Amino acid sequence: MYRSNTCGELRISDVGKKVTLAGWVQRSRKLGGMTFIDLRDRYGITQLVVEADADAALVETATALGREFVIQATGTVVERASKNSKIDTGDIEIRLEAINILNKSLTPPFTIEEQSDGGEDIRAKYRYLDLRRAPLKRALELRHRIAHEVRNFLDSKGFLEIETPYLIKSTPEGARDFVVPSRMNPGQFYALPQSPQTFKQLLMVAGYDRYFQIVRCFRDEDLRADRQPEFTQIDCEMSFVEQEDVLNLFEDMMRTLFKNVLDVNIANPIPRMSWYDAMDRYGSDKPDIRFGMEIHEITSLVQGHGFGVFDSVPYVGAIAVPGAAAYTRKQTDELTEWVKRPQVGAKGLVYIKLNEDGSTKSSVDKFYSEDELRKIAAGVEANTGDLILVLCGEKRKAQTQLGVLRVEMGGRLGLRDPKVFAPLWIVDFPLLEWSEEDGRFYAMHHPFTAPKPEHLDWFYSDKKEDLERVCANAYDFVLNGNELGGGSIRIHEAAVQERMFQVLGIGKEEAEYKFGFIINAFKFGAPPHGGLAFGFDRTCALFGGQETIRDYIAFPKNNQGRDVMIDAPSKIDDVQMDELFLASTVNEENA
Ligand code: ASP
């Protein structure tokens, strides 16, 4: 037996017991002839002590221990003279009788403690060392716990966990596919699934009416902040359901997760908001509703006063930032620069201060009287002491910019407490999104999403305005400004699916080539069905109160999509290239 106890286990009630522990030497120090060793394993840290008058060989071994040596240590549990309330085992220490070095270690390139002195790159390269640190261990424990609760909950509701293949054909989530060359089928490629979307729908056709899977998905996207090329979804699908059934069931799941994992009671029922309201009021389809500061349209209040900028745009909107009237000129200038950054993209910023002394001050005083400014303030529901921030332009664009500004101001005012959880459902999404650039419609969710039955007339219309008005039975689960999950009721009739492809400009042949299998399956008695998927990594990060998902993935990739620990991606040798019938076109210019 390697150990009698773990390093996180022993308490004052164990005093007097003879124990054997095994683990890693976090640090060791000499103090007045005694050697103190912090021994670490997954469960915690226990202090070991070798007395000055211990056996000479033992003292020598203890002295020779380096950081991260793996040892087995035997001794007696004693009460500590100076207790450490910061660790669970802080009341006791182990007076050692024997140390067995199981393995030596090189000196680690950074400190393996709660806070490390290592930068991100070096810690990524030695991820297995970083994973020894308590914060990462807690993150992976949380991830496990949530997965466990998800499985328990869905199992209790009759869901079956069914695996679907990774080597498949292109999926319709709208990102770029990762592809895998097929040796046995020269010149042909598999795609790695962007999601199990088509397979879960085929499982519905097959009669498995409640399916789920905690599953890896692959999307070859430019890695914007905090995305991973491979990530995990809690993927679900149900038959014989309407939107209401899906929302209720997964609302119940989220409530259960929050209760069982964090002991937090989230809103019951979870509020719902249409996509249109979310855009108008928050400038985002994933609004952070932990705070107000809603967007108000003030177009009619500001136009016709000779201010050309406002008069020449279709939309003017504003937010009232509570208590920020005291912002200095320097601060408003900085904000103006901030909204002009490409990430926000506004052309400029107009402000109105409702000073505490009752006066107003704005950057457009020339065009608006005190009285007019007050009318605008009333339109934005602003109070004395508030700073009103105004942006204008094309409606959705200006709203989106205001939405970004709103979140920024919420952050600056400390209104985005990670311990507060404010979920909501966004519903009634438009089915289609027009791309000016490509001159065609794209599916807002994906091409299997059903139009609302009451909008079918518009769906079959040839007019762009009609098609733009079609709403989908699609829904997103949003938490604290993050889209945690999303799904839809699906099209289950082959004819409707064909019309959808037609609207998306996917020709009969292309549809047949890409999705023939599913169109065909729908001809064999496809039940009405729908589902959704939650981003599992993001769920874990939000539960853990963190912004980044990376800590919740054991072996994540960096921003360039690289695993710097194993050094992937990498070249393959010529033999492999030949076997796969591949030739590289990489040269000095495009490498
Ligand atoms: N497959 C979708 C996604 O990954 C989710 C769904 O529609 O169920 O976003």
Side-chain angles (χ1 to χ4, degrees), residues 432-435 438-443 463-468 503-505:
L432 303 160
E433 212 173 0
W434 179 259
S435 159
D438 301 346
R440 56 158 281 201
F441 279 113
Y442 284 93
K463 292 203 199 99
K464 183 169 158 241
E465 316 82 75
D466 285 342
L467 287 165
E468 269 173 336
V503 170
L504 296 177

Side-chain angles (χ1 to χ4, degrees), residues 173 195 197 200 219 233 235 445-446 486-488 490 531-533:
E173 304 292 355
S195 79
Q197 186 63 35
K200 67 175 172 176
R219 296 184 190 178
Q233 284 190 344
D235 189 48
H445 191 54
H446 54 56
S488 59
R490 325 297 184 189
L532 82 182

Side-chain angles (χ1 to χ4, degrees), residues 172-173 194-198 200-201 211 217 219 231 233-237 445-446 448-449 474-476 483 485-490 530-534:
E173 304 292 355
Q194 293 181 32
S195 79
Q197 186 63 35
T198 45
K200 67 175 172 176
Q201 293 193 241
Y211 142 95
C217 301
R219 296 184 190 178
F231 60 97
Q233 284 190 344
I234 306 166
D235 189 48
C236 312
E237 196 76 6
H445 191 54
H446 54 56
F448 302 121
T449 296
Y475 31 80
D476 275 356
E483 181 202 321
S488 59
I489 296 299
R490 325 297 184 189
L532 82 182
F534 289 96

Side-chain angles (χ1 to χ4, degrees), residues 272-552:
R272 297 185 190 178
M273 193 184 294
S274 79
W275 179 88
Y276 293 91
D277 268 357
M279 292 306 297
D280 288 346
R281 291 166 55 191
Y282 297 94
S284 167
D285 57 3
K286 40 181 192 290
D288 187 343
I289 57 165
R290 280 173 297 183
F291 61 99
M293 224 192 279
E294 289 188 23
I295 297 169
H296 295 267
E297 172 162 13
I298 53 169
T299 318
S300 61
L301 289 170
V302 296
Q303 287 188 337
H305 294 267
F307 183 41
V309 175
F310 285 168
D311 286 346
S312 63
V313 289
Y315 174 92
V316 186
I319 55 171
V321 185
Y327 258 45
T328 60
R329 179 66 196 265
K330 197 169 155 218
Q331 283 173 301
T332 49
D333 283 351
E334 182 269 329
L335 263 187
T336 307
E337 285 315 307
W338 192 87
V339 300
K340 285 187 189 164
R341 299 176 340 149
Q343 295 94 318
V344 191
K347 291 222 176 68
L349 179 70
V350 165
Y351 68 83
I352 305 167
K353 291 177 182 172
L354 305 182
N355 296 325
E356 288 292 352
D357 65 6
S359 65
T360 57
K361 168 89 196 112
S362 94
S363 51
V364 287
D365 282 343
K366 254 203 280 178
F367 302 99
Y368 301 93
S369 67
E370 179 97 17
D371 211 36
E372 283 155 356
L373 290 176
R374 282 194 196 292
K375 278 200 189 121
I376 298 170
V380 189
E381 292 177 19
N383 297 310
T384 305
D386 289 1
L387 171 70
I388 299 171
L389 300 174
V390 187
L391 294 178
C392 66
E394 191 269 314
K395 181 174 162 187
R396 292 286 179 229
K397 210 165 155 190
Q399 283 176 338
T400 306
Q401 293 165 351
L402 279 162
V404 177
L405 180 61
R406 173 184 171 272
V407 169
E408 171 70 15
M409 296 314 288
R412 290 189 190 194
L413 295 183
L415 300 173
R416 303 178 67 211
D417 181 351
K419 296 234 155 49
V420 174
F421 297 100
L424 81 159
W425 290 106
I426 302 295
V427 295
D428 300 340
F429 279 80
L431 179 74
L432 303 160
E433 212 173 0
W434 179 259
S435 159
E436 260 333 312
E437 215 172 290
D438 301 346
R440 56 158 281 201
F441 279 113
Y442 284 93
M444 192 137 190
H445 191 54
H446 54 56
F448 302 121
T449 296
K452 278 191 184 293
E454 59 270 33
H455 293 179
L456 277 179
D457 282 348
W458 291 332
F459 182 60
Y460 281 97
S461 160
D462 287 331
K463 292 203 199 99
K464 183 169 158 241
E465 316 82 75
D466 285 342
L467 287 165
E468 269 173 336
R469 277 193 286 183
V470 180
C471 278
N473 273 328
Y475 31 80
D476 275 356
F477 183 88
V478 172
L479 182 68
N480 296 359
N482 296 279
E483 181 202 321
L484 256 202
S488 59
I489 296 299
R490 325 297 184 189
I491 298 169
H492 70 281
E493 289 148 310
V496 181
Q497 188 63 65
E498 271 167 38
R499 168 65 185 161
M500 183 68 176
F501 288 136
Q502 187 188 30
V503 170
L504 296 177
I506 301 176
K508 264 210 156 67
E509 243 167 64
E510 188 186 349
E512 181 57 39
Y513 177 70
K514 279 191 176 156
F515 305 118
F517 61 97
I518 196 161
I519 299 173
N520 210 29
F522 281 1
K523 294 174 184 158
F524 289 91
H529 61 287
L532 82 182
F534 289 96
F536 182 52
D537 312 293
R538 174 79 50 208
T539 302
C540 295
L542 286 174
F543 270 61
Q546 300 294 326
E547 291 277 319
T548 154
I549 62 174
R550 211 169 282 173
D551 285 354
Y552 293 83

